[in-house]
Amino acid sequence: MPKTVETVIKGGTVIDASGTRVADVVIRGGEILEVGHGLEAKNVIDASGCVVAPGLVDLHTHLRQPGREEAETIETGARAAALGGYTAVIAMPNTEPTMDSAAVIREVLDHAITVACEVVPSGAITLGRRGEQLAPMAEMAELGVRIFTDDGSGVQDGGLMRRALEYAKGIGVMLAQHCEDNSLAAGGAMHEGAWSAKLGVPGQPCSAETAMVLRDIELSRLTGAPIHFLHLSTAESLAAVAQARAAGLQVTAEVAPHHFTLTDACCCDYDATFKVNPPLRTEADVEAVKAALIAGTVDAIATDHAPHAPELKEMPFDQAPPGMLGLETALGLALTELELPIERVLAYLSWQPAKIARISDRHGGLIAKGGAANLCVIDPNAEWTVDARALASRSRNTPFDGRKLRGKVRHTINRGDQVVIDGVAQQ
Ligand code: DOR
C-alpha cells in the first residue's frame, strides 16, 4: 500500500504506557491520524483478538555488518527484528572494523536506510574495544549515537571507565557496560558450578559479573553519570542493581530471554548452541531474573541477538564463539515463560527500552493522534513452534528450536509501512 493511503487497524486491544482499551487506529504517511471507534479507511488490517502496541525496541542486537556478513547483515537482522515485532534495534559496535568512529557509524547508517526497522547504532567506548584509549565519542554523538559500549567485553580498567563516564556525562550520552572481569572470567566457557565441574569445562564464576557491576555502581556514584548494565545474569548482580536504584543512583539494567528460560544444565551435551556470554547460570539465577522482572528492579528485556555462522558454532564447546539468536523469539518467550500481564511484558520490550535508548520521540510512544506509526499487532493466544530453519536471520544458532511458544507477531508497521503482514516479511 502506498504511504498516502489510509490504513485502519481495526478491532484490536490497544496497549501502550497509558493503559489498555479497545479501539481502531488509523495511520497514514508514517503517522497516527486518529484513534477511536467505528473508524474506516481504504486499507484494513483486522486486529480482532489481537493486541495493537507500539513497536518493540531492542537495546542489544548484533548485526555483524561490517565484517561478518556471512552471519548476519543489517538487512537480514532488521527483517528478523520486524518479524519479532521490533521497529527499532540498537546495533552493538563489535563489528569488524569496530564502530568506534564517525566513518564506521556513517557506513552502518547508510546500510540501514531502506531496511525493515530503524537501526540505531551504538558506538564503542574505547578504540577497537581494546580498553586502552577512549574512542572519539563526541564525533559519533554528532551522528545521533546516544549509547556507548564495548559490549563483547567490559572496560577492565576502572580509571579509564571513570574518565569515560565523566566524558559521556559532559556530552550527554550514556555508557552501557558488559559486566565481565577478565581476570576472573578469562578461559571460562560456561558458568562455574556443579555442571562445569562435571563436564570438565573451565567456568566463569558469578563474581566475574558481580565485581564489575559493583565497581561501576561506585563509579556512577562518584561521577554522577548514568550507567546501563547489559544482559545481567546473576542473583547477586541483580540484587546490587536493586540496591543502587533504591539509593537513587542513575542505574538501569536489562536481562535477556535466555537468562530467564535456560540453565547451565543445557550445556550437558557440549552443544555450543547453548554457549553464551554471560553464560547460562543456575536455576536460582533464573528465578532471580524472573523475580527482578516481577519486582520491576530491571528496566528492559533485551535479546543479545548474536548470530554466528554454523561452522563456528559446530566447533568444540570451548572453542566456539558465545552467542545465540533472539529477535524472533523474545516476545513469545516472555509471554510464555513470565508470569506477567502482557502490559508489563510490553513495557519491558517497548517503551522502557525506548526511553533508555532516547528514541521515545518515535518508538514506544502513546498510540494517539500525531504519534509515529511504528506499531506491532500481536496475537497473544497464537501457539507456534520455533523452527530454526524458518528464521529470517542469516544464522541458525537458536537454542529454542522445537520449543512451543504462545504469543506471535502478526503484523509490524515501520514508519507507516506494513513490513510484516500475517507473519510474513514484506521486504
Ligand atoms: O554471547 C555473546 N555474544 N555475548 C556477548 O557479549 C557478545 C556476543 C557476540 O557478539 O557474539
Side-chain angles (χ1 to χ4, degrees):
M1 261 315 135
K3 270 197 182 187
T4 45
V5 172
E6 286 181 19
T7 296
V8 63
I9 307 167
K10 225 173 155 49
T13 300
V14 174
I15 302 180
D16 61 16
S18 75
T20 302
R21 63 275 181 199
V22 172
D24 302 333
V25 180
V26 178
I27 59 173
R28 189 184 65 197
E31 214 185 279
I32 297 171
L33 270 193
E34 208 181 341
V35 179
H37 294 281
L39 302 180
E40 304 294 340
K42 189 159 180 206
N43 184 34
V44 180
I45 298 175
D46 176 17
S48 46
C50 291
V51 164
V52 181
L56 311 185
V57 173
D58 190 25
L59 287 173
H60 200 140
T61 300
H62 297 275
L63 289 174
R64 306 294 188 222
Q65 191 176 5
R68 284 278 174 182
E69 288 83 354
E70 73 282 8
E72 197 78 284
T73 64
I74 290 170
E75 187 188 350
T76 60
R79 186 175 301 128
L83 283 163
Y86 291 90
T87 53
V89 298
I90 309 303
M92 290 292 109
N94 61 338
T95 48
E96 295 169 22
T98 307
M99 289 152 62
D100 62 0
S101 67
V104 185
I105 298 289
R106 221 174 268 123
E107 182 184 341
V108 169
L109 288 170
D110 284 349
H111 285 296
I113 290 170
T114 55
V115 299
C117 72
E118 182 171 352
V119 172
V120 183
S122 64
I125 298 172
T126 69
L127 283 178
R129 298 173 43 254
R130 285 187 293 275
E132 292 161 3
Q133 244 180 306
L134 292 186
M137 285 191 261
E139 70 174 38
M140 292 186 268
E142 263 177 44
L143 294 174
V145 179
R146 293 291 172 266
I147 293 185
F148 290 84
T149 177
D150 274 4
D151 183 59
S153 33
V155 178
Q156 302 298 312
D157 184 313
L160 186 65
M161 189 62 190
R162 174 193 180 170
R163 280 208 304 286
L165 283 165
E166 284 167 347
Y167 189 74
K169 185 182 172 195
I171 62 170
V173 299
M174 186 170 69
L175 302 192
Q177 185 71 287
H178 167 118
C179 297
E180 183 180 343
D181 179 327
N182 287 350
S183 66
L184 292 165
M190 65 179 289
H191 169 71
E192 181 180 302
W195 274 104
S196 65
K198 192 169 169 166
L199 296 170
V201 172
Q204 299 181 17
C206 284
S207 327
E209 176 172 309
T210 319
M212 193 171 278
V213 168
L214 289 170
R215 182 200 75 181
D216 284 0
I217 287 171
E218 281 315 304
L219 292 180
S220 173
R221 193 195 311 273
L222 175 67
T223 58
I227 185 153
H228 178 72
F229 292 122
L230 302 164
H231 47 41
L232 291 187
S233 66
T234 76
E236 296 81 5
S237 60
L238 290 163
V241 163
Q243 218 176 10
R245 292 158 65 107
L249 296 180
Q250 299 174 71
V251 169
T252 55
E254 64 182 42
V255 292
H258 45 268
H259 287 129
F260 61 71
T261 51
L262 304 173
T263 67
D264 55 348
C266 296
C267 303
C268 63
D269 290 330
Y270 301 93
D271 178 353
T273 313
F274 296 94
K275 182 174 178 182
V276 65
N277 222 1
L280 300 178
R281 305 274 187 193
T282 65
E283 199 64 58
D285 294 302
V286 167
E287 290 310 313
V289 172
K290 287 185 181 173
L293 286 164
I294 289 170
T297 50
V298 291
D299 304 271
I301 296 171
T303 68
D304 196 3
H305 178 84
H308 289 289
E311 58 272 24
L312 295 183
K313 276 302 206 180
E314 280 159 14
M315 297 206 310
F317 194 88
D318 58 326
Q319 291 162 41
M324 29 181 79
L325 302 182
L327 288 168
E328 294 172 74
T329 49
L331 176 74
L333 286 164
L335 290 174
T336 309
E337 302 292 341
L338 297 173
E339 278 164 35
L340 286 176
I342 189 167
E343 286 82 356
R344 292 202 62 205
V345 167
L346 291 170
Y348 282 128
L349 285 167
S350 178
W351 43 97
Q352 290 182 186
K355 253 190 219 146
I356 292 169
R358 304 203 205 157
I359 52 173
S360 297
D361 58 325
R362 52 198 192 279
H363 297 277
L366 297 184
I367 300 184
K369 185 177 162 61
N374 287 320
L375 302 166
C376 63
V377 179
I378 299 159
D379 182 345
N381 299 312
E383 294 190 350
W384 60 291
T385 303
V386 180
D387 177 0
R389 288 159 310 170
L391 297 175
S393 171
R394 191 168 265 191
S395 292
R396 293 287 163 263
N397 55 309
T398 174
F400 300 109
D401 192 28
R403 187 133 169 163
K404 287 194 168 49
L405 299 179
R406 187 175 26 80
K408 193 157 186 17
V409 172
R410 283 190 56 198
H411 312 289
T412 306
I413 293 151
N414 174 47
R415 280 176 272 190
D417 285 335
Q418 278 181 256
V419 289
V420 173
I421 302 178
D422 268 325
V424 179
Q426 304 297 304
Q427 67 181 79

